[in-house]
Amino acid sequence: RFQLFVQQLEEISTPRGKRGETEATAYRKGITAINLQDYKGAIAAFEQFLTKHPNSTLADNAQYWKGEAHYATKDYQKAVVEFQALVKKYPKSDKVPGALLKQGYSFYELQSYLDAKAFLSKLVAEFPKAEEADIARERLVKIEQLLAKGPGATTAPATRPQ
């Protein structure tokens, strides 16, 4: 948790001029809400940030945290959509491995194990050295165990976001 806090401080403390201070303040509002576990407030703050600052260097982070806020409220379907938006809009972001991991986790929570496996496998294939890939490998083992139990352990694949 402390490492996450330090990372967030680094993201918002980079000087960006007068316009950037406004962006940083708006972004900080969402991060503060996340840290206070005010997930609805965080979602609203990050939506506002992304509307006002779509080209900000913090936009990918805001998109990621919006997905995390939905995940934290157990709205896994919306989390998948928000994480997919990050992957599509910001394919070079350092948040992509985390977004793929959380998409896999979201599908796992929805008991859509085949979709979870697909996203986690994609993460491992595309980012094999990422910390998130190690976490994904562990979850893939659990999924394989569930799938080995037979059809009763799986559900039909969910509709994937476009």
Side-chain angles (χ1 to χ4, degrees):
R1 186 115 175 121
F2 180 73
Q3 183 181 13
L4 174 64
F5 179 71
V6 170
Q7 178 185 358
Q8 293 167 347
L9 281 177
E10 289 172 358
E11 290 172 356
I12 63 175
S13 64
T14 305
R16 300 186 195 284
K18 188 168 177 92
R19 189 176 133 242
E21 290 172 355
T22 302
E23 290 175 17
T25 301
Y27 180 80
R28 192 176 301 121
K29 183 190 279 187
I31 291 297
T32 299
I34 288 281
N35 288 332
L36 294 173
Q37 298 180 353
D38 174 14
Y39 301 115
K40 288 182 181 179
I43 291 165
F46 288 126
E47 283 177 356
Q48 185 176 20
F49 177 88
L50 290 165
T51 299
K52 289 184 177 181
H53 310 287
N55 299 317
S56 169
T57 58
L58 295 170
D60 60 330
N61 293 324
Q63 186 66 53
Y64 176 84
W65 287 110
K66 189 175 167 190
E68 280 286 359
H70 283 295
Y71 186 88
T73 62
K74 299 181 191 272
D75 190 344
Y76 301 116
Q77 290 180 340
K78 282 188 181 175
V80 166
V81 170
E82 296 301 337
F83 288 124
Q84 186 62 27
L86 182 143
V87 173
K88 283 196 171 226
K89 290 179 187 175
Y90 313 101
K92 298 199 183 300
S93 170
D94 63 352
K95 296 289 188 191
V96 169
L100 291 171
L101 179 68
K102 284 304 181 93
Q103 283 181 295
Y105 271 35
S106 294
F107 281 121
Y108 183 90
E109 294 298 330
L110 292 167
Q111 297 182 348
S112 185
Y113 301 120
L114 295 175
D115 285 325
K117 181 179 176 180
F119 278 92
L120 296 174
S121 295
K122 178 178 179 172
L123 166 58
V124 170
E126 292 184 10
F127 303 95
K129 294 182 181 181
E131 183 179 327
E132 293 89 348
D134 292 335
I135 298 166
R137 286 182 192 95
E138 292 174 15
R139 183 58 58 99
L140 282 166
V141 169
K142 289 182 183 180
I143 291 170
E144 288 299 332
Q145 291 170 347
L146 286 167
L147 294 174
K149 291 181 181 179
T154 64
T155 60
T159 303
R160 293 195 182 146
Q162 299 299 319

